[in-house]
């Protein structure tokens, strides 16, 4: 029998790990809150749905991030999954915190979080837990509201260190052709 080996090599260097993980595409999501009348936010590629009952979302935040400290101190956040035409706006989030929202149009919701106009999905959520895992925190949040943008549009994708787009070509496999989530 061909038994897979689960023995991890003890010589994986962090830079090798980082380079390999660049091949895992992610969405680009702004997690944000308000500090007085100023929005605070950071881009994360680790945003994900976590639980259906209760409805929970979350992300992993780097302990070195000053913005993460400010975000986890708040009791509520918005998560805006950016649209593929928002690449330039997403790049602004690599810059200083005070200019990150300058290339985006946003409004404050009744719930009190910044909502980015034109996002694929916007979720408002309340702080649920912050769990330390390695050099990151797993931040979980209870979903309070959900807004969906235009379903015919595509999300922005981060891949190999760059903002890119989903390939509009169909993907073929042995069972047929997959298009827009359908197999035929
Ligand atoms: C596409 C992309 C995805 C990112 N994903 C994460 C993430 O999941 N978690 C995280 O802590 N930082 C992530 N970052 C980095 C943060 O956006 C940024 O470095 C952080 O806000 C810097 O901390 P500061 O606000 O204290 O300067 C990502 C950056 C980019 C460009």
């Amino acid at each position: 029998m061909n038994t897979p080996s689960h023995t991890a090599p003890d010589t994986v260097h962090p830079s090798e790990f980082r380079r390999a993980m660049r091949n895992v595409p992610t969405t680009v999501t702004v997690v944000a809150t308000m500090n007085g009348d100023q929005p605070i936010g950071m881009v994360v590629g680790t945003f994900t749905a976590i639980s259906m009952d209760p409805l929970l979302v979350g992300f992993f935040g780097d302990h070195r991030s000053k913005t993460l400290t400010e975000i986890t101190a708040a009791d509520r956040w918005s998560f805006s999954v950016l649209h593929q035409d928002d690449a330039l706006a997403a790049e602004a989030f690599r810059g200083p915190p005070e200019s990150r929202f300058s290339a985006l149009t946003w409004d404050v919701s009744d719930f009190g979080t910044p909502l980015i106009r034109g996002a694929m999905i916007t979720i408002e959520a309340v702080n649920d837990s912050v769990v330390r895992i390695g050099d990151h925190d797993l931040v979980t949040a209870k979903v309070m509201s959900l807004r969906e943008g235009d379903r015919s549009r595509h999300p922005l994708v981060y891949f190999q260190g760059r903002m890119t787009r989903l390939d509009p070509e169909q993907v073929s496999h042995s069972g047929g052709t997959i298009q827009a989530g359908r197999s035929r």
Side-chain angles (χ1 to χ4, degrees):
M1 201 169 77
N2 191 4
T3 313
S5 167
H6 296 294
T7 310
D10 58 8
T11 54
V12 177
H13 192 272
S15 61
E16 185 187 354
F17 180 65
R18 191 178 298 117
R19 193 170 57 243
M21 293 304 289
R22 282 160 55 96
N23 293 303
V24 179
T26 71
T27 50
V28 181
T29 298
V30 172
V31 51
T33 192
M34 295 299 293
N35 183 6
D37 59 358
Q38 292 301 312
I40 304 170
M42 62 192 278
V43 155
V44 295
T46 51
F47 173 70
T48 191
I50 293 178
S51 162
M52 293 297 289
D53 184 16
L55 285 180
L56 295 173
V57 292
F59 68 99
F60 292 96
D62 190 327
H63 283 159
R64 292 168 302 182
S65 166
K66 191 170 164 291
T67 305
L68 179 71
T69 308
E70 294 181 70
I71 285 175
T72 53
D75 68 346
R76 61 192 61 200
W77 309 304
S78 61
F79 297 90
S80 301
V81 179
L82 297 188
H83 176 261
Q84 66 181 14
D85 290 342
D86 284 331
L88 273 181
E91 292 292 348
F93 275 77
R94 296 188 200 252
E98 58 278 9
S99 59
R100 289 183 183 168
F101 285 80
S102 56
L104 285 167
T105 310
W106 58 277
D107 310 286
V108 184
S109 72
D110 293 343
F111 186 63
T113 65
L115 302 183
I116 293 171
R117 281 199 213 160
M120 296 291 302
I121 307 171
T122 303
I123 286 174
E124 291 180 293
V126 291
N127 189 333
D128 177 66
S129 71
V130 180
V131 180
R132 188 173 182 138
I133 299 181
D135 59 11
H136 276 56
D137 285 334
L138 167 59
V139 181
T140 68
K142 192 162 179 241
V143 174
M144 304 301 286
S145 79
L146 168 68
R147 293 170 178 80
E148 277 191 276
D150 181 349
R151 288 189 196 185
S152 66
R153 301 171 89 201
H154 286 159
L156 183 60
V157 173
Y158 191 69
F159 177 58
Q160 295 184 339
R162 295 192 329 178
M163 305 291 171
T164 184
R165 292 168 175 255
L166 286 177
D167 189 336
E169 295 298 316
Q170 297 174 7
V171 177
S172 296
H173 69 110
S174 56
T177 302
I178 300 171
Q179 185 182 24
R182 281 180 289 126
S183 188
R184 53 185 187 144

